[in-house]
Amino acid sequence: MADENDKYYVTTPIYYVNDKPHIGHLYTTIAADVLASYHRLRGEEVLFLTGTDENSQKNTEAAEKQGYEDIQAFLDMMAETWKKAFAEMKITNDDFIRTTEGRHRKGVEKFWAMVKETGDIYEGEYVGLYCTGCEAFLNESDLEDGKCVMHKKAPQELKEKNYFFRLSAYRERLLAYIDENPDFIQPLSRRNEVRSYVDKFMEDISISRDVGAVKVGIPVPGDDTQVIYVWFDALINYLTGVGFGTDDAKFDKWWPADLHIVGKDIIKFHCALWPAMLMSAGLPLPKRVFAHGFFTIDGDKMSKSLGNVIDPLDVARKYGRDPLRYFLLREITFGEDGDFSLKRLEERYNGELANDLGNLLHRTLSMTEKYLSGEVSAVADGSVQESWDRYDAAMQSADFSDALETVWGILRSSNKLIDDKKPWVLAKEGGDSELSEVMYVLLERLRHIAWMLKPFMPGVTDRMLEQLGVTESDKRKEYEDRKLWGGMIEGTSIAKGEPLFPRLEE
């Protein structure tokens, strides 16, 4: 295994391809991208995995609805749609796993054999309820008025001979693991929810479907009358994406994952079924699973019927990729529910981005150009180490709101410094020494702000560093060296450009 301190493996869920990505999918993916970028900034080797879950009835139904007779052709087309969307958003995933790939199938077959060897797979008859929307077997206790809580539809009544996984056999081990590893499931509210489920409700689960009932899926090894249940298959992507079943050296290097980011609706699969599967196969568990909340759109649940499904690419084309990334992680505390509003995006754009950040940079560069001939003055005393400590702690715990609030704390104190010291007055009255000190502090703080914003707004950071005249050698510095005060070199020429964030018209 590689030293855990110099590598970082983060995943998103793999997404159904029955439709194109909506804003909720991008929210999850951007969060993972920010963490991957942060750990790269620290000099760590990163593997960021995302992909598509293609062995799903939902995908089959979507293909048939669109007139596709060849299901695989539909899956190929939709997988490309997702890849292109992520590319347009400049998501920096290192790999894109598809569950119809040969490498995934090999890994699933190997995993099935390992679990079967332990005696945890047995044949039985499933009689019960199945929600196609959730791709999940439900109990009466999961329903409201006889309908799935999530999809507001009555589930199908099924009676099939299937293979089952002895999930209940892992109840005590799972409870002990959750208790002994308090950071395994985050946030705390989700941890409590999962613990209650494992303790009171978790039962053995059907892990196959009759081949006549589904049109896609990986056949059960040794029994071509059954295909593997989509969730048992899908979860294994976190292993096959790093070489399980195809590349032992790669797998030994990267597993276990440092973080799975998921939505709260699939937390039971990731924090009960998945760890039990891994325990059965004798494999290490992921270090952490973080479940984020849902968000409404202008106070209403996002739905096609309401016509309020947000296409993130449309938003990014209008407001910019970086402002969208910033807004999603600034507006909604990660792990909690929130609301997406274009009005609120515009308010944060004009207020925090244009006024606070963009205006501070432009004012500082303009004054450097006017009062110091466009060159960085001599190094003045200062420090932002406490801010870096808080920022790092927030990023390590995926507290994006606090990380960004730390940055805005520096911004606010810098704008206050300008208001208090009034560099234009110092220049007029001949306070050259104090003017030089004030301008250096402002420029150096902006350099630190730029690096802190790099994971969130990479394009904005690149423009800031260019305008500040930050040298290529500084950009190549080690993470800890970059955090030291005094990185702006005396005599460096700044390059004031256009404002970062042109104000939006009403």
Side-chain angles (χ1 to χ4, degrees):
M1 291 279 184
D3 186 329
E4 64 177 12
N5 293 319
D6 61 18
K7 66 95 181 171
Y8 186 78
Y9 174 29
V10 60
T11 71
T12 71
I14 49 174
Y15 303 107
Y16 293 132
V17 292
N18 56 316
D19 207 341
K20 63 184 181 180
H22 60 59
I23 196 73
H25 301 127
L26 260 293
Y27 178 59
T28 313
T29 311
I30 288 169
D33 187 68
V34 167
L35 288 175
S37 299
Y38 169 71
H39 285 273
R40 291 191 194 103
L41 195 63
R42 294 178 62 88
E44 298 168 36
E45 189 177 2
V46 170
L47 200 157
F48 167 21
L49 179 71
T50 189
T52 46
D53 185 356
E54 300 177 18
N55 297 322
S56 160
Q57 281 183 267
K58 284 203 267 193
N59 299 336
T60 303
E61 291 171 1
E64 291 172 345
K65 189 175 180 179
Q66 293 188 35
Y68 278 82
E69 295 183 5
D70 183 347
I71 301 297
Q72 190 59 50
F74 172 80
L75 297 175
D76 292 344
M77 180 271 292
M78 289 303 297
E80 283 303 309
T81 297
W82 282 72
K83 286 182 179 179
K84 288 176 181 176
F86 288 171
E88 183 170 338
M89 286 299 299
K90 293 193 181 296
I91 300 298
T92 63
N93 54 293
D94 300 286
D95 201 350
F96 189 99
I97 185 82
R98 298 178 59 191
T99 56
T100 52
E101 289 181 79
R103 60 170 171 161
H104 180 69
R105 178 167 176 166
K106 287 179 182 178
V108 170
E109 290 171 345
K110 178 179 178 178
F111 190 91
W112 181 281
M114 291 168 70
V115 174
K116 187 175 183 181
E117 182 69 22
T118 67
D120 286 335
I121 293 177
Y122 63 92
E123 292 185 67
E125 184 174 72
Y126 177 77
V127 180
L129 306 172
Y130 187 80
C131 174
T132 303
C134 294
E135 297 279 11
F137 301 97
L138 303 179
N139 298 316
E140 290 288 348
S141 60
D142 298 318
L143 308 180
E144 283 186 4
D145 299 325
K147 297 180 180 179
C148 168
V149 176
M150 284 290 296
H151 296 93
K152 309 302 180 186
K153 292 182 179 179
Q156 296 174 271
E157 292 188 11
L158 292 181
K159 183 176 181 180
E160 287 184 6
K161 286 187 176 181
N162 296 147
Y163 289 92
F164 284 74
F165 173 60
R166 296 186 198 280
L167 181 57
S168 62
Y170 290 89
R171 179 174 286 109
E172 297 307 318
R173 279 185 66 183
L174 273 171
L175 289 173
Y177 190 86
I178 291 168
D179 290 343
E180 292 165 8
N181 298 272
D183 292 337
F184 174 54
I185 303 170
Q186 292 181 330
L188 179 62
S189 58
R190 302 279 85 85
R191 177 177 175 270
N192 293 338
E193 175 188 332
V194 171
R195 199 190 186 289
S196 176
Y197 164 73
V198 172
D199 187 30
K200 299 175 183 177
F201 304 106
M202 192 174 76
E203 301 173 350
D204 290 0
I205 184 173
S206 171
I207 55 169
S208 73
R209 297 292 312 278
D210 187 285
V211 71
V214 293
K215 296 182 180 179
V216 290
I218 298 173
V220 168
D223 185 353
D224 58 9
T225 69
Q226 297 275 309
V227 295
I228 297 173
Y229 170 50
V230 60
W231 270 106
F232 195 88
D233 153 17
L235 289 163
I236 301 169
N237 93 87
Y238 302 126
L239 305 178
T240 58
V242 288
F244 181 77
T246 56
D247 189 336
D248 291 344
K250 182 178 181 180
F251 180 70
D252 288 342
K253 175 179 178 177
W254 289 104
W255 190 258
D258 291 272
L259 178 64
H260 293 326
I261 297 180
V262 300
K264 67 178 183 178
D265 56 325
I266 54 176
I267 191 104
K268 292 175 184 176
F269 293 111
H270 283 82
C271 297
L273 175 58
W274 179 225
M277 288 167 59
L278 291 167
M279 287 175 177
S280 178
L283 296 172
L285 273 58
K287 296 175 186 176
R288 189 160 55 123
V289 181
F290 197 109
H292 64 72
F294 292 160
F295 49 80
T296 51
I297 306 295
D298 294 319
D300 293 319
K301 182 179 178 181
M302 183 166 54
S303 73
K304 288 183 179 180
S305 61
L306 290 175
N308 66 350
V309 176
I310 300 290
D311 185 331
L313 299 184
D314 289 344
V315 179
R317 288 164 190 154
K318 181 175 181 179
Y319 299 98
R321 285 184 296 266
D322 283 0
L324 174 59
R325 288 167 67 100
Y326 171 80
F327 174 74
L328 286 172
L329 298 180
R330 177 74 157 152
E331 178 77 4
I332 303 166
T333 300
F334 201 58
E336 298 179 9
D337 293 339
D339 185 65
F340 181 94
S341 160
L342 289 177
K343 181 181 178 182
R344 288 287 297 133
L345 190 159
E346 291 179 357
E347 288 172 353
R348 285 197 183 269
Y349 180 104
N350 279 333
E352 295 169 353
L353 295 180
N355 286 351
D356 295 346
L357 175 58
N359 195 39
L360 173 65
L361 178 66
H362 201 67
R363 288 175 78 191
T364 301
L365 294 174
S366 296
M367 288 187 293
T368 303
E369 194 175 72
K370 185 173 183 178
Y371 306 134
L372 301 174
S373 303
E375 292 186 354
V376 177
S377 55
V379 177
D381 291 339
S383 176
V384 288
Q385 189 57 53
E386 287 187 9
S387 296
W388 273 110
D389 292 343
R390 178 180 167 184
Y391 171 86
D392 282 329
M395 293 298 283
Q396 293 287 358
S397 60
D399 189 347
F400 303 119
S401 296
D402 194 54
L404 288 168
E405 178 56 29
T406 301
V407 177
W408 253 253
I410 305 173
L411 279 169
R412 285 191 292 268
S413 67
S414 298
N415 278 316
K416 187 175 186 303
L417 180 65
I418 293 175
D419 293 339
D420 290 345
K421 295 296 184 179
K422 298 179 174 56
W424 53 93
V425 174
L426 295 175
K428 184 177 181 180
E429 296 179 352
D432 294 345
S433 177
E434 189 174 4
L435 173 65
S436 175
E437 291 177 4
V438 170
M439 295 310 302
Y440 186 88
V441 168
L442 292 171
L443 290 165
E444 177 66 355
R445 284 182 181 178
L446 282 162
R447 183 184 71 85
H448 287 273
I449 287 168
W451 284 121
M452 288 180 178
L453 289 177
K454 179 71 170 174
F456 296 94
M457 298 192 285
V460 166
T461 288
D462 290 345
R463 287 181 62 193
M464 288 182 69
L465 295 177
E466 180 181 353
Q467 291 184 19
L468 289 166
V470 172
T471 63
E472 290 301 316
S473 61
D474 185 79
K475 294 176 186 177
R476 291 192 295 269
K477 282 182 179 177
E478 297 291 327
Y479 183 69
E480 294 301 323
D481 292 337
R482 224 179 258 144
K483 292 158 62 173
L484 297 175
W485 186 265
M488 292 295 289
I489 308 301
E490 181 181 358
T492 300
S493 296
I494 58 99
K496 187 187 77 169
E498 295 299 312
L500 290 179
F501 303 100
R503 287 188 60 82
L504 301 172
E505 298 299 325
E506 291 294 332

